[in-house]
Amino acid sequence: MSASRTTRVLIVANRTAATPRLLQEVRRRAQASACDFTLLIPNAPSRQAADWTLQHALPLLERAARKPVASRVGGPDPFQAVRDAVHDASFDQIIVSTLSRRLSRWLRRDLVHRVESLGLPVAAIMPEEDRPSHEQPGSTGNKSMDNNVADLMGAWKIMLPRDARRRDERRR
């Protein structure tokens, strides 16, 4: 009887590290097969600069993965950070989570295609409006705008100070 192999997945995200779309993808992968996830936060010159993401996104990612999620902080060049992470550890797949095309520097710098050149399968998690129409499931109506707003609100909400989040939750 052969033991099933655990898939090692590198998640590349910064401001989108806690968006519902990314959390759903992590949850889906964790349910489908055994996975170990590592969150890479590029564009962060130091561990302190990434603390807000690590502090707020890691617990959500761990809940979605149903196990601990490792983390890494990369330097100012996102592609170099991904390349270093792939070189240092043996990942099987990469997930790149970005803001919308209008807001994302990563997409303007063609990060997803550059990461694909590293030879690993790459999945891009982005708002539906940025996906080609053949990739949009049930692409009728204007749901992409609502989903895009929800993704951005999820990303920006984790940046609020804890007291502000509590006040916001009490208002609901």
Side-chain angles (χ1 to χ4, degrees):
M1 184 185 306
S2 69
S4 68
R5 186 178 179 289
T6 300
T7 303
R8 299 203 54 210
V9 181
L10 178 65
I11 301 169
V12 182
N14 193 345
R15 292 188 287 172
T16 61
T19 56
R21 194 177 262 48
L22 177 59
L23 296 172
Q24 180 180 355
E25 179 65 15
V26 168
R27 188 174 301 110
R28 184 191 68 74
R29 287 173 183 247
Q31 289 173 348
S33 64
C35 292
D36 285 335
F37 296 95
T38 299
L39 172 62
L40 169 65
I41 304 169
N43 294 26
S46 70
R47 186 87 177 177
Q48 278 185 320
D51 274 351
W52 68 266
T53 301
L54 294 172
Q55 185 179 40
H56 300 290
L58 271 179
L60 295 171
L61 286 166
E62 289 175 344
R63 190 175 319 145
R66 296 184 180 163
K67 65 191 315 186
V69 173
S71 64
R72 297 177 59 115
V73 176
D77 180 354
F79 178 69
Q80 184 64 43
V82 173
R83 188 168 48 188
D84 291 347
V86 169
H87 182 265
D88 293 346
S90 58
F91 291 103
D92 302 305
Q93 300 173 5
I94 301 172
I95 298 173
V96 179
S97 178
T98 70
L99 294 170
S100 69
R101 188 167 305 282
R102 199 175 79 246
L103 300 172
S104 175
R105 287 186 211 146
W106 293 359
L107 292 176
R108 284 193 297 272
R109 294 180 186 163
D110 205 22
L111 180 64
V112 174
H113 291 108
R114 291 175 66 201
V115 169
E116 287 173 341
S117 73
L118 298 174
L120 295 173
V122 177
I125 305 297
M126 60 185 75
E128 284 185 19
E129 70 182 19
D130 289 344
R131 293 184 192 163
S133 60
H134 68 276
E135 290 183 21
Q136 291 183 12
S139 58
T140 58
N142 195 10
K143 290 185 179 180
S144 64
M145 180 61 96
D146 293 338
N147 291 336
N148 191 23
V149 169
D151 282 350
L152 287 172
M153 291 306 295
W156 290 106
K157 186 172 183 172
I158 65 169
M159 293 187 343
L160 292 173
R162 188 165 295 194
D163 293 341
R165 284 196 313 271
R166 286 188 190 128
R167 284 192 305 268
D168 183 49
E169 289 168 0
R170 278 187 250 143
R171 288 183 199 149
R172 291 181 192 176

